[in-house]
Amino acid sequence: MKAIVIGGGIIGLCSAYYLKKSGWDVTVLDHSDVNTSCSYGNLGMIVPSHFVPLASPGIVAKGFRWMLNSRSPFYVRPSFNRELISWGWKFMKNANAQNVEIAAAPLLHFNLYSKHLYEELSGQPGFSFALEKKGILMYYKTQAAADEEAHLANKARQMGLDAAVLSKEHIQQLEPETELNILGAVHYRCDAHLYPNKLVPQLVDYLKTSGADIQSNRPVMKMIVGKGTITKVVTREKEYEADVIVLAGGAWLQQLARMVQLYVPLMPGKGYSFTHNHPQKKLNIPAILCEARVAITPMNGHMRYGGTMEIGAPDNKINLKRVEGIVASVSNYFPGIKLDIPEEKDIWYGFRPCSPDGLPYIGRSSKLKNLLIAGGHSMMGLSMGPATGKVIADIANDKKTEADISLFNPERYS
Ligand SMILES: Cc1cc2nc3c(=O)[nH]c(=O)nc-3n(C[C@H](O)[C@H](O)[C@H](O)COP(=O)(O)OP(=O)(O)OC[C@H]3O[C@@H](n4cnc5c(N)ncnc54)[C@H](O)[C@@H]3O)c2cc1C
């Protein structure tokens, strides 16, 4: 049985991995070099704690306020683009307490399932990607953020997660080398992190040595449909036929879906990161700076700093103001960590595939029977990669999935 996976980011590679493991003949087609996807320079966090989707109450008002500040962590590039307006309208409609409540348990269970699969994967020959289970610390400086985080921690504990509200003194014992200018933090001990720069090439190596065909610089130009199936996947060089086709095009999923007349709304959410390979100061535990929406991960001996969310069409420009915002926030929380503004060549950026309700799209198309869709994971694609890949392989094999994916129906907007 032959499968074609379109997109070689974490979602496509994990889908290819579990398809290959269950006996499929797999080809991965990627637009670029698979090492340049959004799945490479991200912060590597595995986050059962993130059970609140991006579209949540308060984000719209905060978003409008942040838009007035060029260093802010969230920005919607103003445009009369019809897709952006339609996405923004759906996002605002979804940002309510009822949707957050409905999404919480499925997101949490899916992330826990994925973490379990990462643990399993890290024990396999050829895989060693610096997986660490120290949790993450959600730092705050203001009483308003402290109240919000305490409320979320309480909810997390009710849902069975290991989350503790810690005082500054307690955190100082966990981070004895770091000067803290904070009020406190919530420690989500349930979370984990890894080094994506090792994980992604190891998945590629596994696939290549087990006989999968990985084609980089092979953008899919169109797909031909006949009698309720995709009959051909067309690239500039070659046409492909397969029993199963997995769309895993990240921030370009909407364009890919449109090739087969499906509507999967999505906007790219650009974010930046930079990595110090020989840092003078290191944190022990990954950190999220709540008010600043900046993340810091000690990974494999390096320190990676990142953040910002610029909603808009993909471009190759680096907005240095946003990167300056990240740099300033770090020393605001940790006065002993003084960072220089990185040179442009050292700044990485990627496009998070953001659905308007903050939920991924995972499942089989009801209209095209050999089409599976996997994407739209926004800020959690790395975290949810293995669970998505396993579920995709189970669906392809007509097996019952171990996770409930009913909320992630890829045709929910069609
Ligand atoms: C700064 C930052 C920090 C982040 N931190 C975290 C984190 O700590 N934890 C977490 O879980 N997530 C994090 N994320 C989000 C995560 O990186 C993404 O959700 C994830 O990488 C998306 O994976 P993907 O496979 O769907 O897309 P991608 O990794 O973007 O892969 C999609 C691939 O599809 C290919 N493609 C597109 N169109 C075509 C076509 N027509 N033909 C062939 N190929 C095509 C592209 O070339 C690309 O390689 C972060 C993101 C950013 C920007």
Side-chain angles (χ1 to χ4, degrees):
M1 296 286 271
K2 198 164 168 33
I4 289 181
V5 178
I6 304 175
I10 189 68
I11 301 300
L13 292 176
C14 284
S15 302
Y17 174 83
Y18 288 104
L19 283 164
K20 188 75 211 157
K21 282 219 118 180
S22 56
W24 287 73
D25 178 4
V26 178
T27 300
V28 178
L29 302 174
D30 195 87
H31 187 286
S32 59
D33 178 341
V34 286
N35 289 347
T36 58
S37 72
C38 184
S39 305
Y40 221 74
N42 63 60
L43 271 292
M45 293 179 179
I46 301 164
V47 283
S49 61
H50 284 31
F51 53 82
V52 175
L54 179 63
S56 56
I59 186 79
V60 177
K62 266 190 205 158
F64 279 122
R65 252 183 287 132
W66 276 331
M67 278 179 72
L68 303 174
N69 177 354
S70 62
R71 291 180 171 209
S72 72
F74 185 78
Y75 180 68
V76 181
R77 210 177 309 135
S79 152
F80 289 109
N81 176 323
R82 262 185 31 211
E83 276 167 10
L84 175 64
I85 293 167
S86 158
W87 181 94
W89 176 245
K90 290 184 184 65
F91 183 89
M92 286 196 279
K93 269 194 3 202
N94 278 302
N96 63 62
Q98 194 194 356
N99 280 359
V100 168
E101 191 60 37
I102 294 170
L107 283 179
L108 182 140
H109 291 130
F110 206 63
N111 267 313
L112 283 174
Y113 180 43
S114 217
K115 182 182 163 199
H116 163 72
L117 292 171
Y118 266 130
E119 286 164 350
E120 228 175 63
L121 185 63
S122 70
Q124 299 296 310
F127 287 96
S128 163
F129 42 82
L131 177 68
E132 291 194 65
K133 291 182 271 177
K134 295 177 171 175
I136 62 168
L137 280 162
M138 304 283 295
Y139 287 91
Y140 42 78
K141 291 168 74 75
T142 58
Q143 193 55 48
D147 294 344
E148 206 175 306
E149 290 306 313
H151 172 75
L152 281 175
N154 196 26
K155 172 98 181 144
R157 277 192 301 272
Q158 284 169 12
M159 293 172 82
L161 293 182
D162 183 357
V165 177
L166 304 185
S167 65
K168 182 176 170 182
E169 292 68 35
H170 195 150
I171 299 158
Q172 196 69 77
Q173 289 166 21
L174 298 174
E175 296 288 0
E177 308 292 321
T178 307
E179 190 186 339
L180 303 172
N181 179 21
I182 52 144
L183 200 55
V186 175
H187 192 186
Y188 284 96
R189 299 190 190 101
C190 49
D191 289 358
H193 69 282
L194 55 77
Y195 188 40
N197 304 53
K198 280 192 158 185
L199 170 68
V200 174
Q202 285 168 8
L203 281 166
V204 172
D205 284 351
Y206 170 88
L207 287 165
K208 281 184 178 164
T209 46
S210 55
D213 184 14
I214 311 277
Q215 295 284 335
S216 36
N217 304 311
R218 281 287 160 93
V220 169
M221 319 290 282
K222 65 176 179 179
M223 285 172 262
I224 296 172
V225 171
K227 295 193 185 143
T229 60
I230 298 178
T231 53
K232 278 191 174 61
V233 174
V234 181
T235 67
R236 213 173 290 123
E237 296 79 8
K238 200 174 158 185
E239 296 183 350
Y240 299 81
E241 290 174 14
D243 303 288
V244 151
I245 288 141
V246 182
L247 295 196
W252 296 268
L253 183 64
Q254 177 166 345
Q255 285 84 331
L256 279 166
R258 205 184 293 122
M259 291 180 193
V260 290
Q261 277 74 53
L262 290 180
Y263 179 49
V264 180
L266 201 112
M267 282 308 291
K270 190 177 186 181
Y272 299 93
S273 79
F274 53 94
T275 307
H276 288 179
N277 291 336
H278 307 288
Q280 287 177 339
K281 301 254 182 203
K282 264 191 233 164
L283 294 178
N284 291 323
I285 300 171
I288 293 184
L289 316 181
C290 291
E291 293 90 346
R293 305 233 161 183
V294 161
I296 309 173
T297 307
M299 40 170 78
N300 200 45
H302 316 305
M303 283 278 280
R304 180 166 290 172
Y305 304 88
T308 81
M309 175 79 96
E310 278 176 23
I311 302 283
D315 63 26
N316 295 327
K317 286 189 214 125
I318 290 183
N319 184 338
L320 263 187
K321 290 270 176 232
R322 308 265 161 219
V323 181
E324 284 167 19
I326 298 172
V327 168
S329 303
V330 173
S331 53
N332 197 10
Y333 286 67
F334 308 119
I337 306 185
K338 303 262 186 261
L339 304 176
D340 293 328
I341 310 290
E343 289 181 40
E344 284 209 9
K345 68 174 177 43
D346 297 323
I347 299 171
W348 174 90
Y349 59 85
F351 300 97
R352 302 174 187 91
C354 299
S355 64
D357 51 16
L359 300 175
Y361 297 110
I362 307 171
R364 190 187 285 277
S365 162
S366 63
K367 300 184 177 116
L368 298 167
K369 58 180 183 291
N370 62 345
L371 174 64
L372 307 186
I373 295 177
H377 297 72
S378 310
M379 307 178 296
M380 295 187 284
L382 186 276
S383 185
M384 292 180 163
T388 306
K390 180 70 169 68
V391 159
I392 285 293
D394 285 343
I395 298 172
N397 291 317
D398 290 326
K399 273 172 63 180
K400 187 173 167 7
T401 61
E402 283 172 55
D404 176 9
I405 53 159
S406 45
L407 221 54
F408 307 156
N409 175 4
E411 291 171 345
R412 59 187 180 271
Y413 291 103
S414 293

